Amino acid sequence: MRLIRGRAGGTALTGTLYEPGEDAPSYEGAPDADAPFVWVCDAFYAVESGGTAQQVDGEAINVAFESPAPRGFADRDRAIAAAEDHVRTQFGRLGLDESAVEIEHEHVAPESA
C-alpha cells in the first residue's frame, strides 16, 4: 500500500493506493475488484456556508466532502499519475495553486500475521 500525500496552504490531503495482492476496501461505488491498482481518496470543494471549516493559508475555508473517489488502474505509473493529479486538483478546488502542491509517497508495509 502506498500513501500519496499532498501538502499546500498549511494543510495536507492523503489518499491510499492499493497494489496487487492487497485488499482494497469494498463498498458501493468501489472500482472493479479485478483492477490491480486501486486509488481511494476524499474529494472536496469550497462552499460559502455549511461544510467543515478547514484552515488553509491561515484562513478558515468551509469545505464540503464528496464520497471517496475510488478508481481502478491496470498499471502503477498510471495509478500514481492519476493519484497525484487528484490530490493537486483538490487543492485547486480550494483556490490554491496546484503547481505549489508538494507530493510525498510513503510505502506502508503490510502487517505480519
Side-chain angles (χ1 to χ4, degrees):
M1 172 175 7
R2 181 183 308 260
L3 301 179
I4 298 178
R5 180 178 301 112
R7 294 184 188 275
T11 192
L13 170 65
T14 304
T16 305
L17 178 62
Y18 295 90
E19 300 183 299
E22 298 173 340
D23 293 327
S26 177
Y27 53 89
E28 186 175 334
D32 184 348
D34 292 336
F37 297 89
V38 177
W39 166 247
V40 180
C41 189
D42 287 333
F44 50 80
Y45 53 95
V47 293
E48 292 294 320
S49 64
T52 302
Q54 298 287 320
Q55 289 293 317
V56 179
D57 263 349
E59 289 184 47
I61 296 177
N62 292 343
V63 177
F65 287 85
E66 300 173 349
S67 297
R71 295 179 56 195
F73 297 90
D75 68 75
R76 179 179 283 118
D77 289 342
R78 284 189 181 154
I80 289 173
E84 291 177 351
D85 183 60
H86 174 87
V87 169
R88 286 187 177 97
T89 296
Q90 301 317 298
F91 282 100
R93 293 171 89 181
L94 298 181
L96 296 170
D97 181 358
E98 293 180 27
S99 67
V101 177
E102 295 177 16
I103 301 289
E104 306 168 2
H105 292 231
E106 178 183 349
H107 180 71
V108 178
E111 292 183 17
S112 299

